[in-house]
Amino acid sequence: MNYIKTKVFELTHLNCKMAQLDTTRPLIVGPDVPVSPYPIKMKGEVVRGFGRGGKELGIPTANLQEEATEALCKDVETGIYFGWAQVGNDHTVYPMVMSLGWNPYFKNEKRIAEVHIMHTFPEDFYGVELRVVVLGYIRPEQDYSSLDALINDINIDIQVANNSLARPAYTEYKKDQLFGIPG
Ligand code: ADP
Ligand code: RBF
Ligand code: MG
């Protein structure tokens, strides 16, 4: 009897562990060197959205103008991506995560490309030109049962992006021509 109980416990424990493993996301994505269709290079003006990113999520996203969004949609599917970004005349190139799509949690009616830059800026930069080099895909867009679950997944995306960009062939793109002559 005790033997059966032990085995049942072991199996349950194993199942729980496997369930945990199944829901754990890889913290680095893509090959060691970016492959086609990457790099995707894009620039566009930062436009206003619903103002939810900073206020509701604590994660501001610079929304790209419609032309840039449409151009990106010609190259890739909707989803979450990572790469490098540069704002206006500032020479610095920062890591970024980009959401391209409909924001299913908020049921948007228009597709939008929005970029969260891993840097704390002193002020907003609406109307300024944003340059991005997209280097890889992280995951598809999802709906969520709570705002916290969405925020949690975005924070994991940020870790995934930072880890994925730390590889030499990805770091190299910080020096891309697109970022050469800002202004
Ligand atoms: P909106 O819906 O108008 O895009 P958000 O709440 O998403 O509003 O805020 C986005 C704005 O916040 C950007 O357009 C930019 O001017 C500013 N901003 C400040 N810090 C960042 C950052 N780290 N990444 C992206 N945008 C930022
Ligand atoms: N919105 C969703 O509805 N589903 C998502 O899976 C999703 N993933 C995102 C991942 C990242 C890295 C970022 C920056 C945004 C994501 N969003 C997603 C968009 C989010 O809803 C949006 O930034 C806010 O609504 C503010 O515009
Ligand atoms: Mg935004």
Side-chain angles (χ1 to χ4, degrees):
M1 199 60 180
N2 265 348
Y3 173 80
I4 292 173
K5 262 193 198 157
T6 310
K7 285 293 156 203
V8 167
F9 172 79
E10 274 177 20
L11 282 172
T12 314
H13 198 64
L14 184 71
N15 277 341
C16 288
K17 275 208 155 154
M18 282 170 65
Q20 256 175 8
L21 280 177
D22 284 348
T23 52
T24 305
R25 294 173 45 193
L27 291 179
I28 189 159
V29 291
D32 283 344
V33 173
V35 292
S36 176
Y38 310 106
I40 299 168
K41 302 174 191 186
M42 185 59 52
K43 54 185 179 179
E45 193 182 309
V46 176
V47 298
R48 279 190 189 273
F50 298 106
R52 292 191 290 236
K55 284 202 186 81
E56 281 188 47
L57 284 79
I59 306 167
T61 57
N63 296 18
L64 280 171
Q65 63 186 137
E66 202 170 321
E67 291 85 339
T69 300
E70 292 311 314
L72 277 168
C73 289
K74 288 206 181 85
D75 287 330
V76 285
E77 298 294 311
T78 57
I80 315 306
Y81 294 84
F82 67 90
W84 300 107
Q86 186 183 50
V87 178
N89 294 328
D90 182 353
H91 286 253
T92 321
V93 176
Y94 300 105
M96 66 82 174
V97 275
M98 181 182 80
S99 157
L100 177 65
W102 311 94
N103 298 3
Y105 181 78
F106 293 100
K107 304 193 171 35
N108 284 2
E109 282 169 10
K110 258 184 145 181
R111 243 175 354 193
I112 184 87
E114 25 175 335
V115 176
H116 172 70
I117 301 172
M118 280 76 109
H119 177 72
T120 305
F121 291 89
E123 52 197 25
D124 288 350
F125 43 87
Y126 287 108
V128 171
E129 187 176 73
L130 180 70
R131 297 170 189 217
V132 295
V133 172
V134 183
L135 292 175
Y137 173 79
I138 301 181
R139 65 173 175 89
E141 285 192 294
Q142 276 173 238
D143 197 355
Y144 291 89
S145 52
S146 71
L147 191 63
D148 274 353
L150 168 61
I151 294 170
N152 193 46
D153 244 4
I154 297 179
N155 283 319
I156 297 175
D157 295 330
I158 292 172
Q159 286 180 53
V160 172
N162 283 331
N163 293 337
S164 302
L165 288 168
R167 293 170 292 190
Y170 288 79
T171 307
E172 197 57 30
Y173 282 97
K174 281 183 89 168
K175 294 183 261 168
D176 195 86
Q177 262 199 339
L178 181 79
F179 301 134
I181 327 127

